[in-house]
Amino acid sequence: MTETDARAEIIAAYRALEAKGLNRGASGNVSLRCGEYLLITPTAVAFDAITPEMIVRMRIDDASGDWQGPKPPSSEWRFHRGILATRPDINAVVHTHAPFCTILAIARKPIPAIHYMIAAFGGADIPLADYARYGSEDLAKHVVAAMQSRNGCLMANHGMVAGGHDLTRTLWLVDELEALAHQYYHALAIGGGHMLSDAQIEETARAFSGYGVGARPETAA
Ligand code: 13P
């Protein structure tokens, strides 16, 4: 993919998140691997004001924060860079304040195996990354740690992150994670529900490998 195409994909994804009610205004951010670089949305620019020229370029192997572009990168560039640097199978990362993910993150409730679709995230739960101030090095450490074994996590009192092989897959994961959060929130409201076992989630993961939703290269273990 050319850098021009990658910039256009990021803009389309950022707008799609707003249109689907998964993000609001200038909150949330999107990044995409482009060779040795990551391309990321600029800080504090809303979905209706963003243009391809505003997308910021940073080196994945450079933790210093150097950037190229007309505007500074998302304040969350540290965890975007950290995930792309440590998960070669992930090429796109999305962070949003999706409503039901954020409600569970405020209640500090990781999502257990309430539904077989959780298997698409690489295991039997969606972990909760510890709280640290937005944009901080500590927050990046917590999020990158949570994303070592999963393709999505909640962020305490903040929101959610998902990462996949490409942006189409990652947007799908964001939508699925919000659906799981929505289901869990309502299951809690009627008493909590029944959890699937690790064996049942592993069985689902094996079945997914021969089915559309799971037949993707990112391989959280
Ligand atoms: P940016 O505008 O810097 O991307 O920050 C938005 C946000 O959601 C911080 O967590």
Side-chain angles (χ1 to χ4, degrees):
M1 183 191 298
T2 65
E3 187 170 326
T4 305
D5 290 345
R7 285 170 181 261
E9 264 205 38
I10 291 172
I11 302 284
Y14 197 49
R15 291 186 180 147
L17 289 165
E18 170 82 22
K20 287 180 150 203
L22 294 166
N23 198 42
R24 287 164 65 89
S27 69
N29 21 77
V30 176
S31 69
L32 188 56
R33 187 191 302 274
C34 192
E36 295 167 343
Y37 294 95
L38 73 99
L39 300 174
I40 188 164
T41 46
T43 188
V45 180
F47 71 99
D48 51 355
I50 199 165
T51 63
E53 304 72 43
M54 292 180 194
I55 298 299
V56 186
R57 189 197 294 131
M58 309 178 84
R59 283 193 69 86
I60 293 173
D61 65 2
D62 179 2
S64 74
D66 274 358
W67 52 273
Q68 295 172 292
K71 288 179 173 293
S74 167
S75 53
E76 306 295 10
W77 66 267
R78 290 177 180 82
F79 70 68
H80 285 263
R81 191 200 74 82
I83 294 168
L84 293 171
T86 56
R87 290 285 307 270
D89 54 329
I90 287 181
N91 294 313
V93 177
V94 171
H95 157 59
T96 80
H97 301 176
F100 283 90
C101 287
T102 306
I103 291 169
L104 295 183
I106 289 166
R108 304 228 173 160
K109 287 187 181 299
I111 305 177
I114 49 157
H115 191 289
Y116 74 83
M117 287 302 288
I118 209 161
F121 292 87
D125 64 359
I126 302 293
L128 172 74
D130 283 347
Y131 181 79
R133 197 209 72 211
Y134 86 93
S136 65
E137 186 72 46
D138 280 349
L139 178 62
K141 278 185 195 144
H142 300 326
V143 170
V144 172
M147 290 292 287
Q148 291 312 289
S149 61
R150 294 290 184 271
N151 301 320
C153 70
L154 303 180
M155 303 157 71
N157 300 83
H158 188 156
M160 57 81 70
V161 177
H165 179 253
D166 55 29
L167 255 179
T168 303
R169 170 71 171 181
T170 306
L171 289 181
W172 180 84
L173 287 169
V174 173
D175 212 16
E176 287 300 326
L177 188 44
E178 179 66 352
L180 287 168
H182 188 255
Q183 290 152 7
Y184 187 40
Y185 170 88
H186 284 96
L188 286 172
I190 58 166
H194 184 86
M195 300 306 143
L196 296 171
S197 68
D198 287 356
Q200 286 168 323
I201 296 301
E202 280 161 26
E203 182 192 12
T204 304
R206 282 195 298 278
F208 275 173
S209 65
Y211 182 74
V213 295
R216 295 290 191 283
E218 79 269 9
T219 51

